[in-house]
Amino acid sequence: MMEVMNILPVLIVLTGALVSMFLSMYDKFSMKYHIGVSVLFLVLALAFAVYPAGEIYAIQPFSDYFNDLLIFDTYSNFFTIALIVGALLVILIGEHYLQAHSFFKGEFLSILMFSLFGMILLANANELITAYIALEIASFAVYVMVGFNTQNPIRVEAVFKYLVLGSFIGAFYLLGVVLIFGATGTTQLTELTQYILSHSNGELTLVYIGLTLIIFTFFFKIAAFPFQSWVLDVYRGAPILVTAYMASVFKIAIFSFFLRAFLQSFPTLQDFWDPILTVLIVFTLTLGTWLAITQKIVKRMLAASSIVHTGYLLLAFIAVGENIESAYSIIFYLIAYLLTAIGSFGLVSHIIAQTKVRVTYDDFKGLAQERPFLAAMMTIFMFSLAGIPSTIGFIAKLYVFTEAINAGYIYLAIYAILATCVSVYYYFKLIAMMYFYPSNKELEEETFDDSRISTYAIALIAILIIWGGVGSALLFFMPIPSIDGIFELVQISVKSLFL
Amino acid sequence: MGTDLLSFIIFLPAFVAFILMVTTTKVEDVRNIAFITTIITLVLVLKLYLNYDPESGMQFVINVPWILKYGINYYVGVDGFSLTVLMMIAILIPSAYLLLWDGRTKGYWINMLLVQTGVTGALLSLDIILFYFFWEMMLLPVFLMIGNFGTGDKIFTTIKVTVYTMFGSLLMFVAIIYLGVAYFNEFGLWSFQYSDLTQITNLTYAEEFWLFLAFLTAFAIKIPLFPFHTWIMDTYKNAPTGAVFLLSSIMAKLGIYAVVRFMIPLFPEIYIQFSSWFVFIGLFGLIYFGIAALMQDDIKRMFAYSSASHLSFIAAGIFSLNDYGVSGALYLVIAHAIATGALFLLIGILYHQTGYKTIKDLGGIAKQAPIFTFIFAIMLFANVGLPGTNGFVAELLIIFGIYQFNPIMGYVAAVTVLVAASFMLWMFQRAILQKREGPALKMRDLKIKEILGLAPWVILVILMGVYPDPFIDKFEPSVIHYLTDILKLGAAK
């Protein structure tokens, strides 16, 4: 019975995707209705996913049928919750955006849930081929979502670039798997670990090459140097809601599998990757920062800054070999970035949905006078992205940098902190635009409708971000749970990998 | 209330600011409520001051866990140092409100309240991450103030000052984490309380040196010490009066305070070893900024330089390694905060009335506004350290201190103080006293509200100048504790 409970969240998401697909055949259902249905399914899935939270377990259900290809443990459960919450937030924040644009049809939500299904599957994958299939399910859904904006001519470039490069890099992954299978005779993560541990370095050449090819896919999907070139165009061409989804939820899904693989199977290979990763981190940070500084369009700036955040994540990633604690810091950072990215992209999409013209920095001039609350929330998101104290972004950065320094990567950490210092420039520029300039005359006339679900969802995220940063520091004023709770959950989830 | 007194003092302004932000929209109401809040804070601080016992070290301590995982606590307390500075802040801010009274918007007052929380929080923090938290927090409202209410190329100024100070802060952030990790490696558990961090023994000399430099850079930018001063010119020129007041007379002092509070206990050996360098840099800054001030025509810029000059002098005193120097420096922190704070606010009024703040355009103010001139003169005298003002006591102590440290440097310090006196008095003669027709005719004298706002400062200037003992007694035990117990020097040798 327990086994059924475990696979229920995935099944519900899949059912939701199918139901939503059937519903979208009928024109009489409005967008609002579709949103309602998908939210319903996601909440249901979330309820079943949250049910076992807090206990530590690792099971491989129905091993006769699944042949141990999937594993359900606290780790995957944690990620499942994060993914579902992320998707839910994206839909809620986009509620207005989805209704304001006629090119969004019911299928969009169906595709979104299909991609979510793939991502959850990825978090549960215990084997390289399964992971590949899950990754492609998610990826292909996202390719479609990127091209959804039929009114925008640049979408063609975006979707084409992403599709071709993504499939190409997928081929690398498969080649890597083939090499590994050829060398070891298995694609199961646990058996692979056994093989690596029981063989000397000289016998592992093929495994090394294979794994390097696989890690290329990883770098591509999280947009690390030198695979970052697609990010700006794809993020720009996609509807901004999809951009938010890719930058936050998809990134988490990618990390969920590769972190598992790294922690379980390849710690002994750390020395081999160490120099490569070091160089990559430096370039990722430099390039991301450079791109972010030079952007004039806010959406592109956020996209470029997501490359910088990838750099911070990789910094924690490189420290994993020395220090298991930094695995926790990666997960915590992902959660913090999930909230902040959905918040900031979502807010921009919310504004675009209303005015259709707020695209560049200049368009944000004077927002504080027109919409003080939206500007205040945007400020909170920018602070969190920049890692200013009193936001969850600060705690996440503190966590990552502390563990990196603890693992001995002092210079890399200092370099990352310098990148943070520069990032203050491009985040604060937006705040400066909103607060320090008079507003644009033509835009003033437009009426905003603020009492929408999207607004409340954005406000909720802003509150969560502040709570994550301040938390129990206000303990003597009000009884609220502290962020140590999240730390504990993260630790339990990683520990379940080693059961 | 009792033990939570410090938390009330820290968070009351921010709490009120948040309430004001979401409720009332009338500027007058916002201002009045903000003013009353600062008065209540002042009363709370007075209560603290009266209950404080100078002999028993850290008091009113609150220590509750914040982020258990890293042993980061909400840990605040007060001792002689922080109490003196706290008292100063609590008196200066409400008086400044009276001088800024008219023509400000809602955001201005809310930002002022937020700054007060940031500053007091940083002042009272004993956990170094908490300190960093407030240290950054006090920057952001000033960022908004300069950008919103500044003049000239305010956006560039805002971004420049933010990136500049953020750079220093982040260097300090690295150093803080590094110390935390070192503590973890030595003792097997996390802590960022600075009293714990002083226990670390496993750092090499080179590591300590770099950490020392990282901390120093962060504080030197805030103070600002030569050569980290380049941000102040734009900022002081373009920022609104309130922000300049906060930056020069409140936040710069926190930089000094942080040097004493964190750097002396954390790196005593390096502190002693390099002290002569820093005394030298301090004296160099004193002369350098003094000469720069001499050449200014814009009064606000001139005060910016002279303020930097005095702050360098304070830094020289802090590093002089003896009771006179350190006590004098702390005394000058207060004296300078009062004098420059008042001068910047008075210049703000002058500019508001006449539209000019350049020396060559002004003149004849004395006839139009005698009370203004009178208070201006007192503050100016305090600033240059004329006998009978608190500036005199402080500068004398510092010169004694530096003389004990190194007689030649002592002579240099004594002589260079003359530079400051000369340019200040010269400016006073040209801009205020000399008879001239022109913009000065538009000048009105101070209103009763503004006089009330400045009265406590005038009284303090005289009182602290004539009878300094009760003030020094409050913090001297802490100074001696630092010198003898932490730096292992004989006090007042």
PDB file of all heavy atoms in Angstrom, chain B residues 14-31:
ATOM      1  N   ALA B  14      11.803  50.835  12.965  1.00  0.00           N
ATOM      2  CA  ALA B  14      11.476  50.057  11.764  1.00  0.00           C
ATOM      3  C   ALA B  14      10.031  49.611  11.796  1.00  0.00           C
ATOM      4  O   ALA B  14       9.325  49.651  10.778  1.00  0.00           O
ATOM      5  CB  ALA B  14      12.392  48.843  11.669  1.00  0.00           C
ATOM      6  N   PHE B  15       9.587  49.203  12.955  1.00  0.00           N
ATOM      7  CA  PHE B  15       8.208  48.748  13.107  1.00  0.00           C
ATOM      8  C   PHE B  15       7.247  49.875  12.737  1.00  0.00           C
ATOM      9  O   PHE B  15       6.323  49.697  11.935  1.00  0.00           O
ATOM     10  CB  PHE B  15       7.993  48.294  14.552  1.00  0.00           C
ATOM     11  CG  PHE B  15       6.644  47.729  14.832  1.00  0.00           C
ATOM     12  CD1 PHE B  15       6.267  46.521  14.267  1.00  0.00           C
ATOM     13  CD2 PHE B  15       5.752  48.398  15.648  1.00  0.00           C
ATOM     14  CE1 PHE B  15       5.013  45.993  14.522  1.00  0.00           C
ATOM     15  CE2 PHE B  15       4.500  47.878  15.897  1.00  0.00           C
ATOM     16  CZ  PHE B  15       4.123  46.676  15.339  1.00  0.00           C
ATOM     17  N   VAL B  16       7.503  51.048  13.301  1.00  0.00           N
ATOM     18  CA  VAL B  16       6.663  52.201  12.987  1.00  0.00           C
ATOM     19  C   VAL B  16       6.749  52.514  11.496  1.00  0.00           C
ATOM     20  O   VAL B  16       5.741  52.820  10.855  1.00  0.00           O
ATOM     21  CB  VAL B  16       7.089  53.410  13.836  1.00  0.00           C
ATOM     22  CG1 VAL B  16       6.313  54.649  13.415  1.00  0.00           C
ATOM     23  CG2 VAL B  16       6.870  53.124  15.300  1.00  0.00           C
ATOM     24  N   ALA B  17       7.961  52.404  10.938  1.00  0.00           N
ATOM     25  CA  ALA B  17       8.137  52.702   9.513  1.00  0.00           C
ATOM     26  C   ALA B  17       7.258  51.792   8.656  1.00  0.00           C
ATOM     27  O   ALA B  17       6.604  52.256   7.728  1.00  0.00           O
ATOM     28  CB  ALA B  17       9.604  52.542   9.134  1.00  0.00           C
ATOM     29  N   PHE B  18       7.207  50.508   9.005  1.00  0.00           N
ATOM     30  CA  PHE B  18       6.392  49.581   8.209  1.00  0.00           C
ATOM     31  C   PHE B  18       4.914  49.911   8.332  1.00  0.00           C
ATOM     32  O   PHE B  18       4.166  49.873   7.358  1.00  0.00           O
ATOM     33  CB  PHE B  18       6.657  48.136   8.615  1.00  0.00           C
ATOM     34  CG  PHE B  18       7.917  47.601   8.015  1.00  0.00           C
ATOM     35  CD1 PHE B  18       8.966  47.174   8.807  1.00  0.00           C
ATOM     36  CD2 PHE B  18       8.064  47.543   6.633  1.00  0.00           C
ATOM     37  CE1 PHE B  18      10.132  46.707   8.255  1.00  0.00           C
ATOM     38  CE2 PHE B  18       9.232  47.077   6.066  1.00  0.00           C
ATOM     39  CZ  PHE B  18      10.263  46.659   6.883  1.00  0.00           C
ATOM     40  N   ILE B  19       4.511  50.239   9.554  1.00  0.00           N
ATOM     41  CA  ILE B  19       3.101  50.616   9.747  1.00  0.00           C
ATOM     42  C   ILE B  19       2.788  51.843   8.892  1.00  0.00           C
ATOM     43  O   ILE B  19       1.775  51.894   8.185  1.00  0.00           O
ATOM     44  CB  ILE B  19       2.846  50.935  11.239  1.00  0.00           C
ATOM     45  CG1 ILE B  19       3.186  49.742  12.113  1.00  0.00           C
ATOM     46  CG2 ILE B  19       1.394  51.368  11.419  1.00  0.00           C
ATOM     47  CD1 ILE B  19       2.146  48.684  12.192  1.00  0.00           C
ATOM     48  N   LEU B  20       3.682  52.836   8.956  1.00  0.00           N
ATOM     49  CA  LEU B  20       3.440  54.078   8.210  1.00  0.00           C
ATOM     50  C   LEU B  20       3.406  53.808   6.713  1.00  0.00           C
ATOM     51  O   LEU B  20       2.633  54.414   5.974  1.00  0.00           O
ATOM     52  CB  LEU B  20       4.530  55.097   8.519  1.00  0.00           C
ATOM     53  CG  LEU B  20       4.505  55.706   9.921  1.00  0.00           C
ATOM     54  CD1 LEU B  20       5.667  56.656  10.097  1.00  0.00           C
ATOM     55  CD2 LEU B  20       3.194  56.429  10.153  1.00  0.00           C
ATOM     56  N   MET B  21       4.246  52.888   6.293  1.00  0.00           N
ATOM     57  CA  MET B  21       4.348  52.608   4.866  1.00  0.00           C
ATOM     58  C   MET B  21       3.015  52.133   4.302  1.00  0.00           C
ATOM     59  O   MET B  21       2.640  52.493   3.198  1.00  0.00           O
ATOM     60  CB  MET B  21       5.413  51.527   4.644  1.00  0.00           C
ATOM     61  CG  MET B  21       6.227  51.716   3.385  1.00  0.00           C
ATOM     62  SD  MET B  21       7.351  50.347   3.173  1.00  0.00           S
ATOM     63  CE  MET B  21       8.559  50.614   4.432  1.00  0.00           C
ATOM     64  N   VAL B  22       2.286  51.333   5.057  1.00  0.00           N
ATOM     65  CA  VAL B  22       1.063  50.755   4.506  1.00  0.00           C
ATOM     66  C   VAL B  22      -0.198  51.498   4.923  1.00  0.00           C
ATOM     67  O   VAL B  22      -1.264  51.201   4.404  1.00  0.00           O
ATOM     68  CB  VAL B  22       0.927  49.264   4.895  1.00  0.00           C
ATOM     69  CG1 VAL B  22       1.989  48.448   4.214  1.00  0.00           C
ATOM     70  CG2 VAL B  22       0.982  49.085   6.391  1.00  0.00           C
ATOM     71  N   THR B  23      -0.097  52.437   5.842  1.00  0.00           N
ATOM     72  CA  THR B  23      -1.347  53.079   6.279  1.00  0.00           C
ATOM     73  C   THR B  23      -1.471  54.522   5.796  1.00  0.00           C
ATOM     74  O   THR B  23      -1.803  54.776   4.658  1.00  0.00           O
ATOM     75  CB  THR B  23      -1.471  53.024   7.815  1.00  0.00           C
ATOM     76  OG1 THR B  23      -0.288  53.569   8.383  1.00  0.00           O
ATOM     77  CG2 THR B  23      -1.692  51.615   8.283  1.00  0.00           C
ATOM     78  N   THR B  24      -1.152  55.443   6.655  1.00  0.00           N
ATOM     79  CA  THR B  24      -1.499  56.844   6.396  1.00  0.00           C
ATOM     80  C   THR B  24      -0.741  57.413   5.204  1.00  0.00           C
ATOM     81  O   THR B  24       0.344  56.959   4.868  1.00  0.00           O
ATOM     82  CB  THR B  24      -1.234  57.696   7.643  1.00  0.00           C
ATOM     83  OG1 THR B  24      -1.309  59.054   7.264  1.00  0.00           O
ATOM     84  CG2 THR B  24       0.140  57.441   8.193  1.00  0.00           C
ATOM     85  N   THR B  25      -1.317  58.399   4.571  1.00  0.00           N
ATOM     86  CA  THR B  25      -0.650  58.980   3.423  1.00  0.00           C
ATOM     87  C   THR B  25      -0.343  60.455   3.611  1.00  0.00           C
ATOM     88  O   THR B  25       0.334  61.044   2.778  1.00  0.00           O
ATOM     89  CB  THR B  25      -1.521  58.841   2.167  1.00  0.00           C
ATOM     90  OG1 THR B  25      -2.843  59.222   2.506  1.00  0.00           O
ATOM     91  CG2 THR B  25      -1.487  57.438   1.634  1.00  0.00           C
ATOM     92  N   LYS B  26      -0.833  61.080   4.667  1.00  0.00           N
ATOM     93  CA  LYS B  26      -0.559  62.507   4.842  1.00  0.00           C
ATOM     94  C   LYS B  26       0.855  62.711   5.366  1.00  0.00           C
ATOM     95  O   LYS B  26       1.245  62.113   6.365  1.00  0.00           O
ATOM     96  CB  LYS B  26      -1.562  63.126   5.819  1.00  0.00           C
ATOM     97  CG  LYS B  26      -2.774  63.699   5.086  1.00  0.00           C
ATOM     98  CD  LYS B  26      -3.785  64.258   6.064  1.00  0.00           C
ATOM     99  CE  LYS B  26      -3.326  65.578   6.656  1.00  0.00           C
ATOM    100  NZ  LYS B  26      -4.270  66.037   7.698  1.00  0.00           N
ATOM    101  N   VAL B  27       1.581  63.556   4.674  1.00  0.00           N
ATOM    102  CA  VAL B  27       2.992  63.725   5.014  1.00  0.00           C
ATOM    103  C   VAL B  27       3.153  64.240   6.438  1.00  0.00           C
ATOM    104  O   VAL B  27       4.019  63.787   7.185  1.00  0.00           O
ATOM    105  CB  VAL B  27       3.657  64.701   4.027  1.00  0.00           C
ATOM    106  CG1 VAL B  27       5.112  64.849   4.361  1.00  0.00           C
ATOM    107  CG2 VAL B  27       3.482  64.223   2.619  1.00  0.00           C
ATOM    108  N   GLU B  28       2.287  65.181   6.837  1.00  0.00           N
ATOM    109  CA  GLU B  28       2.437  65.771   8.178  1.00  0.00           C
ATOM    110  C   GLU B  28       2.285  64.699   9.251  1.00  0.00           C
ATOM    111  O   GLU B  28       3.050  64.654  10.208  1.00  0.00           O
ATOM    112  CB  GLU B  28       1.402  66.880   8.410  1.00  0.00           C
ATOM    113  CG  GLU B  28       1.685  68.165   7.651  1.00  0.00           C
ATOM    114  CD  GLU B  28       1.306  68.064   6.186  1.00  0.00           C
ATOM    115  OE1 GLU B  28       0.443  67.208   5.855  1.00  0.00           O
ATOM    116  OE2 GLU B  28       1.877  68.789   5.356  1.00  0.00           O
ATOM    117  N   ASP B  29       1.271  63.827   9.051  1.00  0.00           N
ATOM    118  CA  ASP B  29       1.059  62.770  10.046  1.00  0.00           C
ATOM    119  C   ASP B  29       2.275  61.871  10.124  1.00  0.00           C
ATOM    120  O   ASP B  29       2.739  61.514  11.200  1.00  0.00           O
ATOM    121  CB  ASP B  29      -0.165  61.929   9.667  1.00  0.00           C
ATOM    122  CG  ASP B  29      -1.432  62.757   9.769  1.00  0.00           C
ATOM    123  OD1 ASP B  29      -1.340  63.859  10.338  1.00  0.00           O
ATOM    124  OD2 ASP B  29      -2.465  62.314   9.261  1.00  0.00           O
ATOM    125  N   VAL B  30       2.779  61.496   8.946  1.00  0.00           N
ATOM    126  CA  VAL B  30       3.927  60.602   8.923  1.00  0.00           C
ATOM    127  C   VAL B  30       5.082  61.228   9.691  1.00  0.00           C
ATOM    128  O   VAL B  30       5.718  60.598  10.532  1.00  0.00           O
ATOM    129  CB  VAL B  30       4.360  60.316   7.468  1.00  0.00           C
ATOM    130  CG1 VAL B  30       5.673  59.562   7.444  1.00  0.00           C
ATOM    131  CG2 VAL B  30       3.293  59.524   6.759  1.00  0.00           C
ATOM    132  N   ARG B  31       5.321  62.504   9.408  1.00  0.00           N
ATOM    133  CA  ARG B  31       6.443  63.184  10.052  1.00  0.00           C
ATOM    134  C   ARG B  31       6.242  63.242  11.564  1.00  0.00           C
ATOM    135  O   ARG B  31       7.157  62.934  12.327  1.00  0.00           O
ATOM    136  CB  ARG B  31       6.561  64.597   9.495  1.00  0.00           C
ATOM    137  CG  ARG B  31       7.677  65.390  10.104  1.00  0.00           C
ATOM    138  CD  ARG B  31       7.509  66.848   9.776  1.00  0.00           C
ATOM    139  NE  ARG B  31       6.227  67.346  10.278  1.00  0.00           N
ATOM    140  CZ  ARG B  31       5.602  68.413   9.782  1.00  0.00           C
ATOM    141  NH1 ARG B  31       6.113  69.073   8.782  1.00  0.00           N
ATOM    142  NH2 ARG B  31       4.454  68.808  10.298  1.00  0.00           N
TER     143      ARG B  31
END
